[in-house]
Amino acid sequence: MRSKLWLSLVAVLALATTANAQESGVKVGIGVSLSPLSSVFVTEEIGVTTVPGGTFAFYVPINIGENFKVEPELGFFRYKESYGDNEATVTQWRLAMGLLYVLRERESLRPYVGPRLGIVSTSEKFNDADDSQTDFFVGLALGAEYYFSSHFTLGGEFQLNYVNIGSPEDVDDLSRNLFSSNGLIFIRWYF
């Protein structure tokens, strides 16, 4: 329940920021990212499973002036497996925000750097048993976007991320964290 409240709050703030940004004349857009990394799952029944496919997320880039960008993010992921009479489903919602400093523009290339932070709400269902957890992450992003026109950009980003992995509801005194790198490809359209 707490995760849904956080997700709702951030969504409302993102929409309010977008509406305010459009009134003040800054540039607002929509975008998607693709992460070409594989996803890895560890289950008791199967062992380690690697999915050779990327994940993607939706973004609302808001360029404020020449040197600052706010970028709310919403991502979704669902994994389902069946074996024998057993069925397992994992669903994740990711809500994040980038606070990015835009470096000096070089012709049509705009490099940027800054933190990205957010939450990941995960729910797992195994047969009739349900469980959930909430993870928090913070990362440093270094990227750039190339403006093919005033409306369309293609970009790339490198990230170093720290994730505080939450405990399942039925487990006490469990502490887990993860430090990883990530690469993203972006397509953004500005209005």
Side-chain angles (χ1 to χ4, degrees):
M1 181 66 176
R2 185 178 63 179
S3 299
K4 291 179 184 176
L5 290 174
W6 274 105
L7 289 173
S8 299
L9 176 64
V10 173
V12 168
L13 289 174
L15 291 174
T17 301
T18 303
N20 185 38
Q22 289 175 336
E23 290 173 6
S24 65
V26 301
K27 200 170 220 180
V28 178
I30 58 172
V32 294
S33 72
L34 175 64
S35 176
L37 297 177
S38 297
S39 299
V40 177
F41 299 95
V42 179
T43 63
E44 292 178 20
E45 294 78 13
I46 305 294
V48 176
T49 302
T50 302
V51 180
T55 59
F56 71 95
F58 296 99
Y59 293 80
V60 180
I62 304 166
N63 292 337
I64 302 171
E66 292 293 316
N67 296 100
F68 189 66
K69 178 192 299 202
V70 176
E71 196 164 47
E73 169 190 349
L74 176 65
F76 174 77
F77 179 81
R78 185 167 188 210
Y79 173 79
K80 186 174 183 177
E81 68 180 32
S82 299
Y83 51 96
D85 294 334
N86 298 307
E87 186 172 286
T89 304
V90 176
T91 304
Q92 286 187 333
W93 286 95
R94 184 176 67 257
L95 190 60
M97 180 72 71
L99 305 171
L100 307 168
Y101 178 75
V102 179
L103 305 170
R104 188 172 60 90
E105 186 171 344
R106 291 163 179 82
E107 295 183 17
S108 295
L109 186 69
R110 292 187 72 190
Y112 58 86
V113 64
R116 288 194 184 271
L117 51 121
I119 61 173
V120 178
S121 176
T122 304
S123 62
E124 299 177 34
K125 183 172 184 175
F126 180 72
N127 294 333
D128 293 327
D130 293 326
D131 202 357
S132 65
Q133 70 184 46
T134 302
D135 308 332
F136 299 92
F137 68 90
V138 62
L140 178 62
L142 174 61
E145 59 183 324
Y146 184 83
Y147 280 76
F148 288 95
S149 72
S150 61
H151 297 289
F152 178 71
T153 69
L154 180 63
E157 184 173 298
F158 173 75
Q159 300 175 346
L160 289 174
N161 296 306
Y162 170 80
V163 184
N164 181 341
I165 302 171
S167 297
E169 291 176 342
D170 59 349
V171 178
D172 293 327
D173 298 327
L174 176 63
S175 176
R176 303 180 291 177
N177 59 64
L178 169 71
F179 186 75
S180 70
S181 60
N182 192 18
L184 298 173
I185 299 168
F186 281 93
I187 298 173
R188 295 178 178 102
W189 177 263
Y190 292 95
F191 301 106

PDB file of all heavy atoms in Angstrom, residues 112-130:
ATOM      1  N   TYR A 112      24.978  15.648 -20.699  1.00  0.00           N
ATOM      2  CA  TYR A 112      24.422  15.955 -19.388  1.00  0.00           C
ATOM      3  C   TYR A 112      24.963  14.983 -18.343  1.00  0.00           C
ATOM      4  O   TYR A 112      25.462  13.900 -18.666  1.00  0.00           O
ATOM      5  CB  TYR A 112      22.885  15.913 -19.407  1.00  0.00           C
ATOM      6  CG  TYR A 112      22.304  14.586 -19.839  1.00  0.00           C
ATOM      7  CD1 TYR A 112      22.107  13.550 -18.925  1.00  0.00           C
ATOM      8  CD2 TYR A 112      21.935  14.363 -21.157  1.00  0.00           C
ATOM      9  CE1 TYR A 112      21.571  12.334 -19.323  1.00  0.00           C
ATOM     10  CE2 TYR A 112      21.399  13.161 -21.565  1.00  0.00           C
ATOM     11  CZ  TYR A 112      21.212  12.152 -20.640  1.00  0.00           C
ATOM     12  OH  TYR A 112      20.687  10.941 -21.038  1.00  0.00           O
ATOM     13  N   VAL A 113      24.849  15.382 -17.082  1.00  0.00           N
ATOM     14  CA  VAL A 113      25.287  14.554 -15.970  1.00  0.00           C
ATOM     15  C   VAL A 113      24.372  14.860 -14.772  1.00  0.00           C
ATOM     16  O   VAL A 113      23.877  15.979 -14.646  1.00  0.00           O
ATOM     17  CB  VAL A 113      26.776  14.813 -15.620  1.00  0.00           C
ATOM     18  CG1 VAL A 113      26.985  16.236 -15.133  1.00  0.00           C
ATOM     19  CG2 VAL A 113      27.281  13.811 -14.599  1.00  0.00           C
ATOM     20  N   GLY A 114      24.148  13.862 -13.927  1.00  0.00           N
ATOM     21  CA  GLY A 114      23.352  14.104 -12.730  1.00  0.00           C
ATOM     22  C   GLY A 114      22.809  12.830 -12.131  1.00  0.00           C
ATOM     23  O   GLY A 114      22.990  11.733 -12.678  1.00  0.00           O
ATOM     24  N   PRO A 115      22.121  12.966 -11.002  1.00  0.00           N
ATOM     25  CA  PRO A 115      21.576  11.785 -10.327  1.00  0.00           C
ATOM     26  C   PRO A 115      20.224  11.359 -10.895  1.00  0.00           C
ATOM     27  O   PRO A 115      19.467  12.177 -11.407  1.00  0.00           O
ATOM     28  CB  PRO A 115      21.416  12.265  -8.879  1.00  0.00           C
ATOM     29  CG  PRO A 115      21.141  13.726  -9.010  1.00  0.00           C
ATOM     30  CD  PRO A 115      21.956  14.180 -10.192  1.00  0.00           C
ATOM     31  N   ARG A 116      19.986  10.075 -10.801  1.00  0.00           N
ATOM     32  CA  ARG A 116      18.656   9.503 -11.030  1.00  0.00           C
ATOM     33  C   ARG A 116      18.324   8.720  -9.767  1.00  0.00           C
ATOM     34  O   ARG A 116      19.150   7.961  -9.267  1.00  0.00           O
ATOM     35  CB  ARG A 116      18.642   8.574 -12.243  1.00  0.00           C
ATOM     36  CG  ARG A 116      18.751   9.317 -13.571  1.00  0.00           C
ATOM     37  CD  ARG A 116      18.382   8.399 -14.727  1.00  0.00           C
ATOM     38  NE  ARG A 116      18.564   9.034 -16.011  1.00  0.00           N
ATOM     39  CZ  ARG A 116      17.629   9.760 -16.637  1.00  0.00           C
ATOM     40  NH1 ARG A 116      16.454   9.931 -16.076  1.00  0.00           N
ATOM     41  NH2 ARG A 116      17.870  10.295 -17.809  1.00  0.00           N
ATOM     42  N   LEU A 117      17.120   8.907  -9.251  1.00  0.00           N
ATOM     43  CA  LEU A 117      16.728   8.191  -8.049  1.00  0.00           C
ATOM     44  C   LEU A 117      15.272   7.766  -8.164  1.00  0.00           C
ATOM     45  O   LEU A 117      14.501   8.376  -8.895  1.00  0.00           O
ATOM     46  CB  LEU A 117      16.936   9.063  -6.803  1.00  0.00           C
ATOM     47  CG  LEU A 117      16.338  10.455  -6.857  1.00  0.00           C
ATOM     48  CD1 LEU A 117      15.348  10.625  -5.738  1.00  0.00           C
ATOM     49  CD2 LEU A 117      17.463  11.448  -6.737  1.00  0.00           C
ATOM     50  N   GLY A 118      14.937   6.692  -7.448  1.00  0.00           N
ATOM     51  CA  GLY A 118      13.567   6.216  -7.543  1.00  0.00           C
ATOM     52  C   GLY A 118      13.288   4.992  -6.703  1.00  0.00           C
ATOM     53  O   GLY A 118      14.108   4.576  -5.881  1.00  0.00           O
ATOM     54  N   ILE A 119      12.112   4.423  -6.953  1.00  0.00           N
ATOM     55  CA  ILE A 119      11.666   3.230  -6.239  1.00  0.00           C
ATOM     56  C   ILE A 119      11.221   2.183  -7.245  1.00  0.00           C
ATOM     57  O   ILE A 119      10.805   2.499  -8.357  1.00  0.00           O
ATOM     58  CB  ILE A 119      10.527   3.529  -5.249  1.00  0.00           C
ATOM     59  CG1 ILE A 119       9.291   4.070  -5.975  1.00  0.00           C
ATOM     60  CG2 ILE A 119      10.963   4.501  -4.170  1.00  0.00           C
ATOM     61  CD1 ILE A 119       8.085   4.224  -5.087  1.00  0.00           C
ATOM     62  N   VAL A 120      11.323   0.923  -6.827  1.00  0.00           N
ATOM     63  CA  VAL A 120      10.839  -0.201  -7.620  1.00  0.00           C
ATOM     64  C   VAL A 120       9.925  -1.009  -6.711  1.00  0.00           C
ATOM     65  O   VAL A 120      10.339  -1.478  -5.653  1.00  0.00           O
ATOM     66  CB  VAL A 120      11.990  -1.096  -8.132  1.00  0.00           C
ATOM     67  CG1 VAL A 120      11.439  -2.278  -8.916  1.00  0.00           C
ATOM     68  CG2 VAL A 120      12.962  -0.285  -8.978  1.00  0.00           C
ATOM     69  N   SER A 121       8.678  -1.146  -7.115  1.00  0.00           N
ATOM     70  CA  SER A 121       7.708  -1.938  -6.359  1.00  0.00           C
ATOM     71  C   SER A 121       7.548  -3.286  -7.066  1.00  0.00           C
ATOM     72  O   SER A 121       7.186  -3.335  -8.240  1.00  0.00           O
ATOM     73  CB  SER A 121       6.370  -1.204  -6.302  1.00  0.00           C
ATOM     74  OG  SER A 121       5.406  -1.997  -5.657  1.00  0.00           O
ATOM     75  N   THR A 122       7.832  -4.354  -6.348  1.00  0.00           N
ATOM     76  CA  THR A 122       7.788  -5.707  -6.924  1.00  0.00           C
ATOM     77  C   THR A 122       6.741  -6.542  -6.207  1.00  0.00           C
ATOM     78  O   THR A 122       6.715  -6.586  -4.979  1.00  0.00           O
ATOM     79  CB  THR A 122       9.158  -6.405  -6.786  1.00  0.00           C
ATOM     80  OG1 THR A 122      10.155  -5.590  -7.399  1.00  0.00           O
ATOM     81  CG2 THR A 122       9.146  -7.777  -7.454  1.00  0.00           C
ATOM     82  N   SER A 123       5.899  -7.199  -6.976  1.00  0.00           N
ATOM     83  CA  SER A 123       4.961  -8.161  -6.396  1.00  0.00           C
ATOM     84  C   SER A 123       5.214  -9.517  -7.056  1.00  0.00           C
ATOM     85  O   SER A 123       5.439  -9.593  -8.261  1.00  0.00           O
ATOM     86  CB  SER A 123       3.512  -7.717  -6.582  1.00  0.00           C
ATOM     87  OG  SER A 123       3.194  -7.635  -7.948  1.00  0.00           O
ATOM     88  N   GLU A 124       5.211 -10.551  -6.241  1.00  0.00           N
ATOM     89  CA  GLU A 124       5.456 -11.905  -6.718  1.00  0.00           C
ATOM     90  C   GLU A 124       4.278 -12.788  -6.329  1.00  0.00           C
ATOM     91  O   GLU A 124       3.746 -12.672  -5.232  1.00  0.00           O
ATOM     92  CB  GLU A 124       6.726 -12.469  -6.082  1.00  0.00           C
ATOM     93  CG  GLU A 124       7.965 -11.679  -6.406  1.00  0.00           C
ATOM     94  CD  GLU A 124       9.192 -12.222  -5.698  1.00  0.00           C
ATOM     95  OE1 GLU A 124       9.284 -13.449  -5.518  1.00  0.00           O
ATOM     96  OE2 GLU A 124      10.048 -11.417  -5.315  1.00  0.00           O
ATOM     97  N   LYS A 125       3.892 -13.629  -7.257  1.00  0.00           N
ATOM     98  CA  LYS A 125       2.826 -14.587  -6.975  1.00  0.00           C
ATOM     99  C   LYS A 125       3.324 -15.970  -7.365  1.00  0.00           C
ATOM    100  O   LYS A 125       3.745 -16.185  -8.497  1.00  0.00           O
ATOM    101  CB  LYS A 125       1.559 -14.231  -7.746  1.00  0.00           C
ATOM    102  CG  LYS A 125       0.400 -15.144  -7.430  1.00  0.00           C
ATOM    103  CD  LYS A 125      -0.875 -14.664  -8.059  1.00  0.00           C
ATOM    104  CE  LYS A 125      -2.001 -15.585  -7.611  1.00  0.00           C
ATOM    105  NZ  LYS A 125      -3.296 -15.123  -8.084  1.00  0.00           N
ATOM    106  N   PHE A 126       3.306 -16.883  -6.406  1.00  0.00           N
ATOM    107  CA  PHE A 126       3.671 -18.274  -6.668  1.00  0.00           C
ATOM    108  C   PHE A 126       2.480 -19.126  -6.280  1.00  0.00           C
ATOM    109  O   PHE A 126       2.135 -19.217  -5.101  1.00  0.00           O
ATOM    110  CB  PHE A 126       4.917 -18.681  -5.868  1.00  0.00           C
ATOM    111  CG  PHE A 126       5.328 -20.108  -6.100  1.00  0.00           C
ATOM    112  CD1 PHE A 126       5.896 -20.484  -7.305  1.00  0.00           C
ATOM    113  CD2 PHE A 126       5.121 -21.063  -5.120  1.00  0.00           C
ATOM    114  CE1 PHE A 126       6.264 -21.797  -7.530  1.00  0.00           C
ATOM    115  CE2 PHE A 126       5.489 -22.379  -5.337  1.00  0.00           C
ATOM    116  CZ  PHE A 126       6.066 -22.746  -6.550  1.00  0.00           C
ATOM    117  N   ASN A 127       1.828 -19.714  -7.275  1.00  0.00           N
ATOM    118  CA  ASN A 127       0.564 -20.428  -7.079  1.00  0.00           C
ATOM    119  C   ASN A 127      -0.412 -19.490  -6.363  1.00  0.00           C
ATOM    120  O   ASN A 127      -0.788 -18.480  -6.915  1.00  0.00           O
ATOM    121  CB  ASN A 127       0.783 -21.753  -6.352  1.00  0.00           C
ATOM    122  CG  ASN A 127       1.601 -22.718  -7.211  1.00  0.00           C
ATOM    123  OD1 ASN A 127       1.581 -22.640  -8.439  1.00  0.00           O
ATOM    124  ND2 ASN A 127       2.336 -23.596  -6.580  1.00  0.00           N
ATOM    125  N   ASP A 128      -0.783 -19.774  -5.133  1.00  0.00           N
ATOM    126  CA  ASP A 128      -1.740 -18.917  -4.426  1.00  0.00           C
ATOM    127  C   ASP A 128      -1.082 -18.011  -3.400  1.00  0.00           C
ATOM    128  O   ASP A 128      -1.761 -17.286  -2.678  1.00  0.00           O
ATOM    129  CB  ASP A 128      -2.811 -19.774  -3.738  1.00  0.00           C
ATOM    130  CG  ASP A 128      -3.693 -20.477  -4.761  1.00  0.00           C
ATOM    131  OD1 ASP A 128      -3.923 -19.890  -5.838  1.00  0.00           O
ATOM    132  OD2 ASP A 128      -4.139 -21.608  -4.496  1.00  0.00           O
ATOM    133  N   ALA A 129       0.241 -18.043  -3.282  1.00  0.00           N
ATOM    134  CA  ALA A 129       0.947 -17.225  -2.297  1.00  0.00           C
ATOM    135  C   ALA A 129       1.424 -15.922  -2.945  1.00  0.00           C
ATOM    136  O   ALA A 129       2.000 -15.931  -4.028  1.00  0.00           O
ATOM    137  CB  ALA A 129       2.141 -17.992  -1.733  1.00  0.00           C
ATOM    138  N   ASP A 130       1.163 -14.812  -2.267  1.00  0.00           N
ATOM    139  CA  ASP A 130       1.573 -13.497  -2.745  1.00  0.00           C
ATOM    140  C   ASP A 130       2.637 -12.915  -1.834  1.00  0.00           C
ATOM    141  O   ASP A 130       2.626 -13.149  -0.626  1.00  0.00           O
ATOM    142  CB  ASP A 130       0.390 -12.532  -2.772  1.00  0.00           C
ATOM    143  CG  ASP A 130      -0.632 -12.922  -3.807  1.00  0.00           C
ATOM    144  OD1 ASP A 130      -0.244 -13.440  -4.858  1.00  0.00           O
ATOM    145  OD2 ASP A 130      -1.838 -12.710  -3.561  1.00  0.00           O
TER     146      ASP A 130
END
